[in-house]
Amino acid sequence: MTARDRRARLSAYAAFAIQGLCFATLVTRVPQVQDAHGIGDALLALVLLLVPVIAGVGSVVAGSLFARFGSGPVLRVAQPAVCVAMVLVGSTGGHLAPLFVATALFGTFVGAVDAAMNAQAVAVERRHGMSLLTGFYAVWSVAGILGGLWVALANRLDLGLFSGFVVPAALGVLVSLVTGPGLFRKDEEGTAPSAEELKAAARRVPWRPVLIVGVALGVFYLADSVVSNYSAKFLQDELRASDFAAPLGYVAYQVAMVVTRAAADFGVRRYGAVLVIRLGGAVGLAGMVLVVIAPGPVTAIAAFAVAGLGLSVVAPVAFSAAGRVDPTGLGVAVARLNVFNYVGFVLGAAIAGALASSGLRLVFLVPAVLVVTIVVVANGFAPRPVTATAARGEEDGKALTPPALPEADPEPPRAPHA
């Protein structure tokens, strides 16, 4: 590895850290945002639903810019914008119209950063020639823990929304400006496949194994959406936790995720993906059930940790399974699977919004029941590999091959984004 590769890796780690910090800071202050604007649960649900919906649009728009500019420049613009948008959420003065505008901006740039930072992570992983993606998401979770702890302190100090948001936002902008120049440039990311090549590749990637794993991934992100958006509110409103303790459910959830993801690759290699997913689904189910029946804040915080221990394995193992059925090397299966990310978040926000008025325990009961699906479809996480030889067919008189790479600086092509 060259010094350039190591610098790009550190810059990508920084991007994941900033994203995790900002996301955690915002979602763990949801009760304070609701109180500051005097809005009910139904309108709050609409605000929360706006984020993943707009984020999906932002992700698609960002992806369309990669071919022209590369993911690095997009990330260098969108990441500081996420930080600024978070501050705007805390600067709306209790008025609804500015809140919706600030939330829409936050969602747009969050989606753009999601697409761009993952593109950078894929490029880094391929340059290094070893699995690194789980580590990037672990950094995201660690930063999320710090964000949740900061909110707990901000609540203890009785800081307003603006003061509570501006500190992590300023840190995020500073780190982004310092590390942004280290991201890979467009020419360093590799040559993207043409539209014709992607269409040909899509016909060679089977849908069925992707859909099976996608269902489990969608359920995970549905549950993750509910935990992210409603854990602090559940602890504060339902279990009468203090402002200081309310963010700790999300913190415990992310701490558990870091612990499990640190060992997930070893578990898959030693025991196989099916057993890891089945066990993870069962533990995640137990954690979600414990949240529903928790009599007090301490039990609920511990239950969120149990849920995180189990559910954290689903996403990385799912994307690994998708790679096994994609013989093209162009990331078609991964792009298809990524759609379930946003589907899960949108459904989670919508279901929570519809049920919040009936009690927050019911909000957590629905994903708890759905997590059973992960256990049921666990066998789908070990699909039969689709090799290039088996899948290769003639497309308009010639077989599809991955695009050629520059000889002077060889690097595989970047995976497309949903």
Side-chain angles (χ1 to χ4, degrees):
M1 290 299 102
T2 66
R4 176 73 186 99
D5 293 329
R6 288 191 290 271
R7 185 184 180 200
R9 182 177 176 179
L10 290 174
S11 295
Y13 278 139
F16 275 80
I18 297 168
Q19 186 81 328
L21 177 68
C22 290
F23 184 79
T25 300
L26 184 60
V27 298
T28 52
R29 295 212 91 181
V30 164
Q32 286 72 36
V33 172
Q34 183 180 17
D35 292 343
H37 293 82
I39 58 179
D41 289 343
L43 189 55
L44 174 65
L46 182 60
V47 174
L48 295 176
L49 179 61
L50 187 63
V51 174
V53 171
I54 299 296
V57 176
S59 180
V60 172
V61 172
S64 68
L65 297 174
F66 293 167
R68 182 173 181 181
F69 302 106
S71 61
V74 174
L75 183 55
R76 293 179 67 180
V77 172
Q79 187 123 68
V82 167
C83 302
V84 173
M86 179 176 66
V87 174
L88 291 178
V89 172
S91 308
T92 54
H95 301 291
L96 290 182
L99 175 64
F100 274 96
V101 172
T103 303
L105 288 173
F106 182 81
T108 299
F109 291 118
V110 159
V113 171
D114 278 345
M117 73 181 187
N118 278 290
Q120 285 287 315
V122 168
V124 169
E125 183 177 73
R126 289 177 175 176
R127 288 284 285 250
H128 281 69
M130 60 182 177
S131 177
L132 294 172
L133 279 176
T134 301
F136 284 111
Y137 279 91
V139 169
W140 189 96
S141 294
V142 169
I145 294 167
L146 296 177
L149 292 175
W150 162 252
V151 170
L153 176 61
N155 289 343
R156 173 62 65 87
L157 297 176
D158 200 25
L159 296 181
L161 289 178
F162 175 81
S163 301
F165 287 153
V166 76
V167 173
L171 177 62
V173 170
L174 177 62
V175 173
S176 179
L177 293 176
V178 171
T179 61
L183 297 168
F184 279 133
R185 301 183 303 271
K186 178 187 173 184
D187 61 315
E188 295 175 306
E189 291 185 78
T191 304
S194 67
E196 180 181 350
E197 289 171 325
L198 286 176
K199 290 179 181 178
R203 289 191 284 270
R204 293 170 56 194
V205 177
W207 266 103
R208 187 175 183 275
V210 176
L211 288 174
I212 292 174
V213 174
V215 168
L217 187 68
V219 169
F220 160 67
Y221 277 115
L222 187 155
D224 188 69
S225 171
V226 172
V227 173
S228 299
N229 292 329
Y230 284 91
S231 59
K233 184 172 172 59
F234 175 72
L235 285 166
Q236 188 167 322
D237 293 0
E238 192 79 22
L239 300 180
R240 300 292 182 259
S242 66
D243 287 349
F244 174 78
L248 299 184
Y250 183 80
V251 171
Y253 178 73
Q254 290 295 341
V255 168
M257 282 200 160
V258 172
V259 171
T260 303
R261 284 175 173 170
D265 287 337
F266 171 78
V268 171
R269 290 194 297 266
R270 180 73 179 267
Y271 302 107
V274 173
L275 181 59
V276 168
I277 291 297
R278 188 168 287 143
L279 180 60
V283 173
L285 172 62
M288 295 300 291
V289 170
L290 285 173
V291 170
V292 174
I293 64 175
V298 174
T299 305
I301 291 171
F304 283 122
V306 174
L309 280 174
L311 296 177
S312 62
V313 300
V314 177
V317 181
F319 282 107
S320 177
R324 290 167 60 88
V325 298
D326 187 347
T328 69
L330 301 179
V332 174
V334 170
R336 290 176 181 174
L337 189 61
N338 194 51
V339 173
F340 291 90
N341 176 341
Y342 290 107
V343 170
F345 261 99
V346 170
L347 287 178
I351 290 173
L355 299 177
S357 60
S358 301
L360 292 178
R361 290 185 188 273
L362 185 60
V363 168
F364 285 94
L365 178 61
V366 172
V369 172
L370 292 176
V371 165
V372 175
T373 307
I374 297 175
V375 180
V376 173
V377 303
N379 285 335
F381 281 77
R384 179 179 298 177
V386 178
T387 63
T389 301
R392 182 173 291 116
E394 296 297 321
E395 300 288 347
D396 297 326
K398 63 179 181 179
L400 171 71
T401 57
L405 302 174
E407 293 184 2
D409 190 16
E411 178 184 344
R414 182 179 67 246
H417 295 270

